[in-house]
Every structure is written in C-alpha cells, then in structure tokens.
Amino acid sequence: MPEILDDKSQYCIPFILERLKIHQRNHLGKDNSRPFVLALNGVQGAGKTTLVTTLSETLRSPPHSLSVVVLSIDDLYLTHAAQKQLAESHASNPLIQHRGQPSTHDISLGISLFASLLAGKPTKIPQYDKSRFNGQGDRVDESEWQIVNKNEGEQIQVVVFEGWCVGFRALGKEGVQKKWDAARIELAHANYNGRLAYNKFEDLIFVDEALRQYDTLTDQFDALIHIDAEDTHFVYEWRWEQEAALRSKGRGGMSNEQVKTFVDGYYPAYELYTDNLRAGIFGSDSGKQLRLIVDEERKVKDAIRL
C-alpha cells in the first residue's frame, strides 16, 4: 500500500484555528467549558486516520497546547448482540446485515456522550473492537473505556469526531425516491456503475429514517472537514490496498472479492448523501466547512470553503 503522505494539514490547521477562535469568542463569559467540536468525514481509505493523527498531535503541541479527545463513529457501533438482533429482525435488508450503515450505531450512547463532553463532565469514551466474533466486532467492556475530564484543570477543549458517514443528513422519502429513480433509469440504459439501483426502496428508507436520529449529533458540530474524492469509486482501490497491506503483514485481510462485496454495502450511502455533503451541511451559516478534493493518489487537488 502506498504511504499516505499528509498534504492536508496545511489547509486544515489554519481553518481549525480560525473557527476555534470564533468559537471561543462566541462562548466568552457564557459556557466556557463547552469544547469545540470538529467533525471529519472522508470515504474509506482517503487518509482520515493519518489526518486525524496529525491534527490531534498538532493541536496538543505548543504553541496551541490544547486538550483534545478523538472520537470515531465506529466506537458507537451497536454491541454484537444488538447488531445480531437488528439483522435478524430485518433479515431481508442486506444493508444492515453487518455493521456500517446508519441504524447500526448506538445513537443514544452518542447523545449521552456528547452531552457529557459538552458539559465538561467526567466522561467515559466508548471503544469498539472490530476483531471480536471473527471480525463481526463487539463493544469493549465499559471498564476499559478511557475517562476524560477527570480533573477540573484538564478539561477537554477540542472534540474531534471522525467517520465515513459523519455529517450525512437524511433526505426524506421524496429525496431518496428521486435519487433511486435516477439510478434505476441509468441502470436501464446500461450506463450505471453504482449500487443504489440494486437495492429495494424500502431498505434504503429504513436507513434514511435511522439517519434522521444522527442530526442530534450533527447539530452540535462547530466545523466540518470533508475529505472528498474526485471519484468515489476510488474507495474500492483504496480498500484493496489497505487489505493487501494487512495480508502482507500476516494480519488477515479480505480478498479483493470480499472487499468488493464489503464496499458494495456502503456505496449506496455515498450515492445518496455525498451531494448534500458537498453542498454544505450548515445551510446559511457559511464558513464552517472545509472540503478537500483529493485525487486517486489521495493528494489535494482543491480546497473549498463552504
């Protein structure tokens, strides 16, 4: 797998510091303990992990010296038992037979987590172990969760919340219908290379309705960085590279065919929600979103403020 070099921080750090300064000014004299919430979205393999690591280390280091906690939406996945129950109760819906799609996260846990962090209270940070149950995954026991805000002088100042679907907003039945109809027309004319059209409308609506609950988290964001691929189909090649790297190190890893099946399950969500993410999730509250467009080598080709 090619090394993912960080050419994104040069755009992200000034953006974050600018928004952080505005945040601090807006909360001066009010609820100063409320941390700044930075969301980060990127398709799988686009370099999220590399960027999050660089950003958090930079913000923690002088001259900034900020207290930072990194959260992944993956750590909000349902327990193995709850995911199994969800899959069995909707056995005909292929989108939710394994973790990943909206509806497979414990949003109640996420809401209580955000509420505690934003109030500056001692907070346990959940963890999820994807290796458990032969790769099906399960939540780590609560006794092993990291605790932040334990002492009054060590309050979290920045929350970084990252994930492949972070910032997605539900379209509603009419919005999903429009996207689905367009995809099926393309499929009928043999001019289609997506996955949306191969899914049942009711299965897509189930995911979209679940996504509406995620707004409670999304509405808390103070800024969003979106690592956007010039072509979302890059995700297949990027995931193949990741799994090949795991296999070369003797750490398992999916075959190319398994990767295709895996990404196929995610891809309908990219078709449904990427356009709105690209347009900006904050509406008229402009300036709070940074969109970095990357090529197949994951190099930034353009940076757009929204």
Side-chain angles (χ1 to χ4, degrees), residues 35-52:
F36 176 78
V37 180
L38 171 68
L40 197 150
N41 174 291
V43 297
Q44 298 161 333
K48 282 195 308 296
T49 302
T50 300
L51 179 59
V52 167

Side-chain angles (χ1 to χ4, degrees), residues 43-179:
V43 297
Q44 298 161 333
K48 282 195 308 296
T49 302
T50 300
L51 179 59
V52 167
T53 299
T54 302
L55 294 180
S56 58
E57 288 178 353
T58 301
L59 294 173
R60 288 176 179 135
S61 301
H64 313 300
S65 302
L66 295 166
S67 178
V68 180
V69 65
V70 176
L71 312 176
S72 172
I73 198 168
D74 291 357
D75 289 321
L76 297 180
Y77 279 133
L78 297 171
T79 63
H80 179 264
Q83 174 59 46
K84 184 178 179 182
Q85 183 179 24
L86 175 69
E88 290 175 350
S89 62
H90 299 84
S92 64
N93 187 341
L95 296 173
I96 58 172
Q97 294 310 299
H98 53 77
R99 67 177 190 266
Q101 290 281 351
S103 74
T104 67
H105 301 94
D106 187 340
I107 296 304
S108 295
L109 174 62
I111 291 172
S112 63
L113 173 65
F114 267 59
S116 183
L117 284 171
L118 295 184
K121 297 178 179 179
T123 306
K124 292 184 177 181
I125 306 301
Q127 298 177 43
Y128 190 89
D129 185 347
K130 296 179 182 178
S131 69
R132 296 188 176 183
F133 291 94
N134 296 314
Q136 294 180 32
D138 198 8
R139 190 176 299 159
V140 173
D141 188 88
E142 187 174 343
S143 63
E144 300 180 43
W145 296 3
Q146 174 195 6
I147 302 177
V148 299
N149 291 336
K150 289 187 292 186
N151 302 311
E152 192 169 322
E154 300 176 1
Q155 297 294 293
I156 293 297
Q157 296 167 290
V158 178
V159 176
V160 180
F161 184 52
E162 63 86 13
W164 77 278
C165 62
V166 165
F168 284 0
R169 289 195 184 271
L171 300 178
K173 188 169 290 186
E174 289 185 9
V176 173
Q177 182 84 57
K178 184 177 179 180
K179 293 273 190 182

Side-chain angles (χ1 to χ4, degrees), residues 188-228:
H189 289 84
N191 185 32
Y192 182 64
N193 60 357
R195 297 303 307 170
L196 182 64
Y198 296 103
N199 288 269
K200 295 178 182 177
F201 180 70
E202 58 266 30
D203 293 343
L204 298 167
I205 287 299
F206 180 86
V207 171
D208 190 73
E209 289 178 346
L211 182 59
R212 184 75 64 187
Q213 302 172 36
Y214 291 52
D215 281 351
T216 306
L217 305 181
T218 305
D219 290 343
Q220 303 295 333
F221 299 168
D222 296 301
L224 170 71
I225 295 172
H226 175 205
I227 308 176
D228 189 14

Side-chain angles (χ1 to χ4, degrees), residues 1-8 45-47 229-231 234 237-238 241 293-301:
M1 177 179 171
E3 182 182 0
I4 301 177
L5 300 176
D6 175 37
D7 66 340
K8 303 172 184 65
E230 286 182 318
D231 183 343
F234 292 165
E237 182 66 31
W238 291 342
E241 291 174 354
I293 304 172
V294 301
D295 63 14
E296 194 167 5
E297 301 302 317
R298 304 176 181 84
K299 294 180 180 178
V300 176
K301 306 302 291 184

